Amino acid sequence: MLKKIRRLLAAVTFILITLLILDFTDTLMAWLGWLAQIQFIPAVLALNAVVIVALVLLTLVFGRIYCSVICPLGVMQDIVSWIHGRKKKNRFEYSPAKSWLRYTMLGIMVVALAAGLGSIVALLAPYSTYARIVTNVLQPFYMWGNNVLAAIAEHYESYAFYSVDVWVKSLPTLLIAIAMLVLVAVLAWRGGRTYCNTICPVGTVLAQLARFSWFKVHIDADKCRNCNLCNKNCKSACIDIKNHRVDYTRCVTCGNCLEKCNFGALTYGHKKPAAQPAPAPQPANDASNTRRAMIVGAAVVAADAALAQAKKKVDGGLAVIEDKQAPKRNTPLTPPGSLSAANMARRCTACQLCVSACPNQVLRPSGNLATLMQPTMSYENGYCRPECNRCSQLCPTGAIQPIGLDEKVSTQIGHAVWIKKNCLAAKGAPCGNCARHCPSGAIEMVPLNEKDEDSPFVPAVNPAKCIGCGACEHLCPARPFSAIYVEGHEQHRTI
C-alpha cells in the first residue's frame, strides 16, 4: 500500500510539474506555480520559511519522501530505473555510502550559495536541472506539436491554438541540459538512485534529517530468511541484509523492499517491532510471486507530417531581410524586478521558467561563465513590453521579485545608446522608428547639425526617461546591428 500511494503521488506531482515547465502560455502558472515554490533550493533562496519548515517536518516524520514524491529529478530517475527493471530484475546490491563525495558536493553548494556563484548552484540544484532538461530538450517537441495543432485548427477556421516560433535560445545551455539528462539517466539505469545519494546536495541535507525520522523501514532479524530480495530491489542500495540494517540517510521511502519481502520481516513504522515467532514457510504461489502485469499503455501520438515550412523573411517579396545580431553590452540586462545583476546572480538557479514563459522572446540563458544559464535579455526577436510582467510572477527563488505594471514602467533596467555609424537617419534616410515607438517618450528626433538647415534628423535619448525596454533597438531597421541599443544597469533605478 505504501508503494502504491507513493507512486500515485509521485506520478501526479511529476506530470503537473512537467506541464508547468512546458507551458509557454503561462496558463498553468496561477494553478500550479506553487509546485515550483515547494522545491527545496528555490525555497531556501526565496527565504520561504513556511516551505522550509514544512519540508524539514515532512522529512523528520516520513524520511526522505521529498526525494521520491516532490523532486521531479528524483521521480525521473525512478522512471528510468523502472524501465530497466522490466528487463533486468533483482539487479541491485548493497554498497557502502560514498560519504566523501556526498559531503564534497554539499560543500561546493554551500560555498557557491555563500559566494553568490549562481551558475554553480544552478548546476547542482535538482529542480533546476530537471527544469532545464524539460525546457531545452522536451519543450521544442511540445511546441512543434502545438504548431501542428495550430495548422490543423487554422485549416478549419479555428484559432483555439496559435503557432509559436521554436528556436535555440542558448546552445551552451542546450548542451548542458543534454549532458545532465544523459548523466542522470545513465546513473539511474545502472544504479537507481546513485545521483541522489552521491551528487545531489539536497539529498545529502535531507539525509541528515532522515536519520531521526519518526517512521522508518525496520528489519525483523528473526523473521528474515536472508533471501536478499529486499536488497536486490533497493534502488538506493541502502539495505545491508547481512547485518539486518538500513542506511536511513540513503533510504528514499520508496516501498520496494516492503513489497518484495515474502516473510513479513520488513515493516514501515515508528518503532522496530518486537521479535515474534517466524511463520511456517508456505508453498510458493506462482500467482503471488509473479510480477503484476501492469503495462500502462500511453499511446504516444507522433505527428508523422512534419510541417517543414522553409520560412524566408523578405521585404515585400523583393529583398531578403538580414537577421539582427546582438550588440556587445558592457553590462548585461536583467529583467524588471530582479533589482540588480548581483541579486540575479546570487539567487537565480537557472530553472528557466521565465525564459520559457517570456512571450516576447526577450529572455534567453546567459553564456557568460559567471552567470551561466541564468536569464539575460536581448532584443533581436522582440522587446520587453510595458504591459507584460509574466517573468516576475513565476520566479520561485526571488531572483525576480513580483512587480506590478505601474511599477515596471517606472523601473530603469538600462538606457539606450545611439550609434551614429549604423543609423540610416544620419545617412539622410527618413526614419525615426525609435522615436515613434518609444513607449516612455525618451527619444526625440533632433537635427544632426543645428546650423545646417538641410541637416538630417537623428535620435536623441533622454536617459532620465529611458527604462531600457528595447523597443528602439528591436524596431530599428538597421542590419545586422541596430543603430540604437540598450546598455544595462548594474543596479536598477526608479524614475
PDB file of all heavy atoms in Angstrom, residues 80 87 126 194 267 285 287 301-302 319 351 353 356 369 396 493:
ATOM      1  N   VAL A  80      13.297   5.942 -15.129  1.00  0.00           N
ATOM      2  CA  VAL A  80      14.362   5.297 -15.902  1.00  0.00           C
ATOM      3  C   VAL A  80      14.719   3.943 -15.296  1.00  0.00           C
ATOM      4  O   VAL A  80      14.868   2.940 -16.004  1.00  0.00           O
ATOM      5  CB  VAL A  80      15.607   6.213 -15.970  1.00  0.00           C
ATOM      6  CG1 VAL A  80      16.769   5.484 -16.642  1.00  0.00           C
ATOM      7  CG2 VAL A  80      15.290   7.503 -16.721  1.00  0.00           C
ATOM      8  N   LYS A  87      13.295  -5.385 -17.677  1.00  0.00           N
ATOM      9  CA  LYS A  87      14.099  -6.365 -18.405  1.00  0.00           C
ATOM     10  C   LYS A  87      15.063  -7.114 -17.485  1.00  0.00           C
ATOM     11  O   LYS A  87      15.299  -8.304 -17.650  1.00  0.00           O
ATOM     12  CB  LYS A  87      14.890  -5.660 -19.510  1.00  0.00           C
ATOM     13  CG  LYS A  87      14.017  -5.081 -20.626  1.00  0.00           C
ATOM     14  CD  LYS A  87      14.876  -4.476 -21.717  1.00  0.00           C
ATOM     15  CE  LYS A  87      14.019  -3.946 -22.859  1.00  0.00           C
ATOM     16  NZ  LYS A  87      14.859  -3.340 -23.941  1.00  0.00           N
ATOM     17  N   PRO A 126      18.703  20.195  -8.012  1.00  0.00           N
ATOM     18  CA  PRO A 126      17.997  19.141  -8.763  1.00  0.00           C
ATOM     19  C   PRO A 126      16.772  19.642  -9.512  1.00  0.00           C
ATOM     20  O   PRO A 126      16.539  19.240 -10.652  1.00  0.00           O
ATOM     21  CB  PRO A 126      17.612  18.128  -7.677  1.00  0.00           C
ATOM     22  CG  PRO A 126      17.654  18.903  -6.391  1.00  0.00           C
ATOM     23  CD  PRO A 126      18.715  19.934  -6.565  1.00  0.00           C
ATOM     24  N   THR A 194      21.646   6.494  -7.677  1.00  0.00           N
ATOM     25  CA  THR A 194      23.055   6.843  -7.497  1.00  0.00           C
ATOM     26  C   THR A 194      23.251   8.355  -7.483  1.00  0.00           C
ATOM     27  O   THR A 194      23.996   8.894  -6.647  1.00  0.00           O
ATOM     28  CB  THR A 194      23.911   6.224  -8.622  1.00  0.00           C
ATOM     29  OG1 THR A 194      23.731   4.820  -8.620  1.00  0.00           O
ATOM     30  CG2 THR A 194      25.378   6.554  -8.425  1.00  0.00           C
ATOM     31  N   THR A 267       8.994  -3.894   7.954  1.00  0.00           N
ATOM     32  CA  THR A 267       7.843  -3.061   8.293  1.00  0.00           C
ATOM     33  C   THR A 267       8.254  -1.595   8.212  1.00  0.00           C
ATOM     34  O   THR A 267       9.433  -1.251   8.340  1.00  0.00           O
ATOM     35  CB  THR A 267       7.325  -3.365   9.708  1.00  0.00           C
ATOM     36  OG1 THR A 267       8.406  -3.195  10.650  1.00  0.00           O
ATOM     37  CG2 THR A 267       6.768  -4.769   9.805  1.00  0.00           C
ATOM     38  N   ASN A 285       3.672 -19.630  -4.242  1.00  0.00           N
ATOM     39  CA  ASN A 285       2.484 -19.375  -5.049  1.00  0.00           C
ATOM     40  C   ASN A 285       2.909 -18.575  -6.265  1.00  0.00           C
ATOM     41  O   ASN A 285       3.326 -17.427  -6.153  1.00  0.00           O
ATOM     42  CB  ASN A 285       1.456 -18.589  -4.222  1.00  0.00           C
ATOM     43  CG  ASN A 285       0.142 -18.448  -4.970  1.00  0.00           C
ATOM     44  OD1 ASN A 285       0.067 -18.743  -6.160  1.00  0.00           O
ATOM     45  ND2 ASN A 285      -0.888 -17.990  -4.261  1.00  0.00           N
ATOM     46  N   ALA A 287       1.243 -17.286  -8.533  1.00  0.00           N
ATOM     47  CA  ALA A 287       0.441 -16.091  -8.829  1.00  0.00           C
ATOM     48  C   ALA A 287       0.905 -14.910  -8.002  1.00  0.00           C
ATOM     49  O   ALA A 287       0.888 -13.773  -8.454  1.00  0.00           O
ATOM     50  CB  ALA A 287      -1.039 -16.378  -8.556  1.00  0.00           C
ATOM     51  N   VAL A 301       1.009   9.693 -29.623  1.00  0.00           N
ATOM     52  CA  VAL A 301       0.616  10.025 -30.987  1.00  0.00           C
ATOM     53  C   VAL A 301       1.665  10.963 -31.572  1.00  0.00           C
ATOM     54  O   VAL A 301       1.793  12.088 -31.145  1.00  0.00           O
ATOM     55  CB  VAL A 301      -0.762  10.717 -31.002  1.00  0.00           C
ATOM     56  CG1 VAL A 301      -1.181  11.069 -32.415  1.00  0.00           C
ATOM     57  CG2 VAL A 301      -1.783   9.826 -30.337  1.00  0.00           C
ATOM     58  N   ALA A 302       2.455  10.438 -32.488  1.00  0.00           N
ATOM     59  CA  ALA A 302       3.505  11.235 -33.116  1.00  0.00           C
ATOM     60  C   ALA A 302       2.993  11.808 -34.417  1.00  0.00           C
ATOM     61  O   ALA A 302       2.364  11.131 -35.199  1.00  0.00           O
ATOM     62  CB  ALA A 302       4.742  10.376 -33.382  1.00  0.00           C
ATOM     63  N   ALA A 319      13.496  41.654 -51.384  1.00  0.00           N
ATOM     64  CA  ALA A 319      14.846  41.569 -50.838  1.00  0.00           C
ATOM     65  C   ALA A 319      14.835  40.783 -49.529  1.00  0.00           C
ATOM     66  O   ALA A 319      13.916  40.924 -48.715  1.00  0.00           O
ATOM     67  CB  ALA A 319      15.401  42.974 -50.594  1.00  0.00           C
ATOM     68  N   CYS A 351      16.455  27.815 -13.514  1.00  0.00           N
ATOM     69  CA  CYS A 351      15.425  26.827 -13.844  1.00  0.00           C
ATOM     70  C   CYS A 351      14.747  27.160 -15.171  1.00  0.00           C
ATOM     71  O   CYS A 351      14.097  26.315 -15.780  1.00  0.00           O
ATOM     72  CB  CYS A 351      14.384  26.729 -12.740  1.00  0.00           C
ATOM     73  SG  CYS A 351      13.297  28.174 -12.596  1.00  0.00           S
ATOM     74  N   LEU A 353      12.155  28.916 -15.997  1.00  0.00           N
ATOM     75  CA  LEU A 353      10.717  29.115 -16.123  1.00  0.00           C
ATOM     76  C   LEU A 353      10.417  30.442 -16.802  1.00  0.00           C
ATOM     77  O   LEU A 353       9.524  30.542 -17.634  1.00  0.00           O
ATOM     78  CB  LEU A 353      10.061  29.081 -14.736  1.00  0.00           C
ATOM     79  CG  LEU A 353       9.603  27.742 -14.178  1.00  0.00           C
ATOM     80  CD1 LEU A 353       9.018  27.923 -12.793  1.00  0.00           C
ATOM     81  CD2 LEU A 353       8.601  27.065 -15.087  1.00  0.00           C
ATOM     82  N   SER A 356      11.182  30.284 -20.537  1.00  0.00           N
ATOM     83  CA  SER A 356      10.167  29.522 -21.252  1.00  0.00           C
ATOM     84  C   SER A 356       8.881  30.312 -21.428  1.00  0.00           C
ATOM     85  O   SER A 356       8.210  30.205 -22.453  1.00  0.00           O
ATOM     86  CB  SER A 356       9.882  28.217 -20.508  1.00  0.00           C
ATOM     87  OG  SER A 356       8.825  27.510 -21.087  1.00  0.00           O
ATOM     88  N   LEU A 369      30.310  32.772 -18.250  1.00  0.00           N
ATOM     89  CA  LEU A 369      30.656  31.773 -17.237  1.00  0.00           C
ATOM     90  C   LEU A 369      30.191  32.179 -15.849  1.00  0.00           C
ATOM     91  O   LEU A 369      29.776  31.333 -15.053  1.00  0.00           O
ATOM     92  CB  LEU A 369      32.167  31.533 -17.230  1.00  0.00           C
ATOM     93  CG  LEU A 369      32.724  30.686 -18.384  1.00  0.00           C
ATOM     94  CD1 LEU A 369      34.239  30.592 -18.270  1.00  0.00           C
ATOM     95  CD2 LEU A 369      32.099  29.305 -18.397  1.00  0.00           C
ATOM     96  N   PRO A 396      10.440  31.259  -8.630  1.00  0.00           N
ATOM     97  CA  PRO A 396      10.263  30.632  -7.318  1.00  0.00           C
ATOM     98  C   PRO A 396      11.338  30.987  -6.303  1.00  0.00           C
ATOM     99  O   PRO A 396      11.194  30.661  -5.125  1.00  0.00           O
ATOM    100  CB  PRO A 396      10.308  29.136  -7.650  1.00  0.00           C
ATOM    101  CG  PRO A 396      11.205  29.045  -8.840  1.00  0.00           C
ATOM    102  CD  PRO A 396      10.978  30.308  -9.629  1.00  0.00           C
ATOM    103  N   ARG A 493      17.054  51.282 -11.295  1.00  0.00           N
ATOM    104  CA  ARG A 493      16.658  52.567 -10.725  1.00  0.00           C
ATOM    105  C   ARG A 493      15.168  52.793 -10.921  1.00  0.00           C
ATOM    106  O   ARG A 493      14.558  52.199 -11.790  1.00  0.00           O
ATOM    107  CB  ARG A 493      17.454  53.705 -11.382  1.00  0.00           C
ATOM    108  CG  ARG A 493      18.960  53.466 -11.384  1.00  0.00           C
ATOM    109  CD  ARG A 493      19.634  54.402 -12.361  1.00  0.00           C
ATOM    110  NE  ARG A 493      21.060  54.041 -12.567  1.00  0.00           N
ATOM    111  CZ  ARG A 493      21.831  54.589 -13.481  1.00  0.00           C
ATOM    112  NH1 ARG A 493      21.347  55.504 -14.304  1.00  0.00           N
ATOM    113  NH2 ARG A 493      23.088  54.214 -13.577  1.00  0.00           N
TER     114      ARG A 493
END
